[in-house]
C-alpha cells in the first residue's frame, strides 16, 4: 500500500462520465459542433475551459471568453439536469480500505464550487477540503503534470509513496509526467490498451480489482 492516493473524480469516484459526455454532446450541438462520446472520453481530464478551447481549435471556431463561460455553465446545468453522477460500484469499499492507513486526495479538472459538498454527500467523512486539487488550483489542466505535482507537493510525501488513481488516458499521462506511480481503472467505454498506452503502471477493469490489489 502507498502512503497517499490521489484520486481523480469523474470515472474514478463517481460514475459520471455518461452524463458528462451526453451534456457536452447536447450543448456543443447547439454550436454546430459534433462531440461524440469516444472523443469526449479520450479528452477526459482536461478542464472544462480547455475542452471548449480544444473543440474550437478542432472545428475552426474561436469562442469569446463570454461564450466559453456560457458553454461551460450550460454544460454544467445540463449535466445536473441529466442526473449528475453517483458513486462507482465498490469505490466506497476502496476508500474505506484506505481510510486511516493512507492519505486520500482528490485531483480533478472539475471546477464546480460545490465539489466538496458533492463528495461529502456521497462519501461522508472521507474527504477533507485541504486535500483537494481542482481546476481553481492550477494554471494547466491534465495532461499537464501540474495538478498531480500540486497534490504531491502539498501532501508532503515522497514521490515513491504516492499513487495516482485514474480512468482517463490524459489523466494517466499527467500522473506519469509528474513522476508518480499511476494506476488506470477502465470504468468507461475505452479499451484497456488506451490506458496502458497512456503509460499506466497497472490497469484494472474495475474497483473490485483495485480493492483486491490494495488488500494484498
Ligand atoms: Mg476521470
Amino acid at each position: 500500500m502507498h502512503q497517499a492516493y490521489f484520486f481523480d473524480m469523474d470515472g474514478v469516484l463517481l460514475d459520471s462520465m455518461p452524463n458528462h459526455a451526453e451534456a457536452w454532446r447536447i450543448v456543443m450541438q447547439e454550436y454546430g459542433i459534433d462531440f461524440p462520446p469516444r472523443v469526449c472520453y479520450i479528452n477526459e481530464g482536461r478542464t472544462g475551459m480547455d475542452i471548449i478551447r480544444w473543440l474550437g481549435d478542432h472545428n475552426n471556431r474561436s469562442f469569446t471568453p463570454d461564450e466559453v463561460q456560457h458553454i461551460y455553465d450550460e454544460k454544467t446545468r445540463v449535466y445536473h439536469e441529466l442526473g449528475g453522477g453517483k458513486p462507482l460500484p465498490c469505490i466506497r469499499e476502496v476508500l474505506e480500505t484506505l481510510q486511516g492507513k493512507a492519505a486520500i486526495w482528490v485531483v480533478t479538472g472539475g471546477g464546480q464550487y460545490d465539489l466538496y459538498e458533492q463528495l461529502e454527500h456521497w462519501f461522508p467523512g472521507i474527504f477533507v477540503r485541504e486535500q483537494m486539487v481542482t481546476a481553481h488550483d492550477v494554471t494547466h489542466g491534465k495532461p499537464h503534470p501540474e495538478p498531480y505535482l500540486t497534490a504531491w507537493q502539498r501532501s508532503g510525501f515522497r514521490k515513491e509513496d504516492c499513487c495516482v488513481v485514474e480512468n482517463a488516458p490524459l489523466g494517466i499521462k499527467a500522473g506519469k509526467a509528474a513522476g508518480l506511480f499511476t494506476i488506470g481503472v477502465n470504468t468507461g467505454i475505452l479499451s484497456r490498451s488506451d490506458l496502458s498506452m497512456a503509460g499506466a503502471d497497472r490497469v484494472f477493469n474495475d474497483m473490485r480489482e483495485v480493492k483486491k490489489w490494495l488488500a494484498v
Side-chain angles (χ1 to χ4, degrees):
M1 194 179 277
H2 289 78
Q3 293 187 33
Y5 288 81
F6 301 153
F7 285 88
D8 170 50
M9 187 172 71
D10 292 300
V12 168
L13 299 175
L14 297 181
D15 180 10
S16 52
M17 280 307 293
N19 283 341
H20 276 300
E22 180 61 2
W24 277 119
R25 193 191 65 74
I26 290 170
V27 173
M28 294 320 297
Q29 202 173 39
E30 291 169 23
Y31 287 82
I33 290 177
D34 184 34
F35 193 16
R38 181 173 163 87
V39 180
C40 184
Y41 277 77
I42 286 285
N43 277 284
E44 191 206 334
R46 296 185 197 275
T47 64
M49 301 300 176
D50 280 349
I51 286 179
I52 296 163
R53 286 189 211 104
W54 184 90
L55 282 168
D57 289 347
H58 284 74
N59 288 276
N60 291 319
R61 287 283 300 272
S62 61
F63 297 117
T64 65
D66 278 355
E67 280 177 318
V68 170
Q69 189 63 49
H70 176 75
I71 292 170
Y72 183 72
D73 292 345
E74 265 302 283
K75 185 260 158 183
T76 302
R77 187 185 64 76
V78 175
Y79 168 74
H80 286 293
E81 207 173 77
L82 291 169
K86 58 181 190 312
L88 270 169
C90 206
I91 183 62
R92 281 203 177 100
E93 288 95 317
V94 166
L95 295 170
E96 281 160 12
T97 303
L98 296 174
Q99 202 176 17
K101 300 191 190 113
I104 300 175
W105 283 68
V106 178
V107 181
T108 176
Q112 299 151 47
Y113 284 96
D114 67 343
L115 275 184
Y116 177 75
E117 285 69 24
Q118 287 184 44
L119 289 172
E120 193 54 25
H121 169 73
W122 292 117
F123 311 102
I126 298 274
F127 294 98
V128 291
R129 260 180 221 280
E130 294 70 32
Q131 294 178 190
M132 291 177 65
V133 175
T134 75
H136 303 291
D137 297 298
V138 297
T139 309
H140 306 285
K142 304 168 189 178
H144 196 281
E146 188 183 349
Y148 284 114
L149 282 176
T150 303
W152 163 67
Q153 279 164 345
R154 290 188 191 166
S155 77
F157 288 101
R158 298 179 308 169
K159 281 195 177 180
E160 55 267 43
D161 294 326
C162 302
C163 175
V164 168
V165 186
E166 267 289 349
N167 69 309
L170 296 183
I172 291 166
K173 283 188 178 162
K176 292 311 296 174
L180 301 170
F181 187 85
T182 300
I183 66 170
V185 192
N186 193 26
T187 63
I189 62 171
L190 301 179
S191 61
R192 283 178 66 99
S193 65
D194 289 316
L195 305 194
S196 51
M197 278 164 53
D201 292 292
R202 293 284 301 265
V203 177
F204 300 92
N205 289 315
D206 54 33
M207 288 299 165
R208 243 166 281 280
E209 289 186 3
V210 174
K211 191 193 158 203
K212 261 190 215 160
W213 175 67
L214 288 172
V216 171

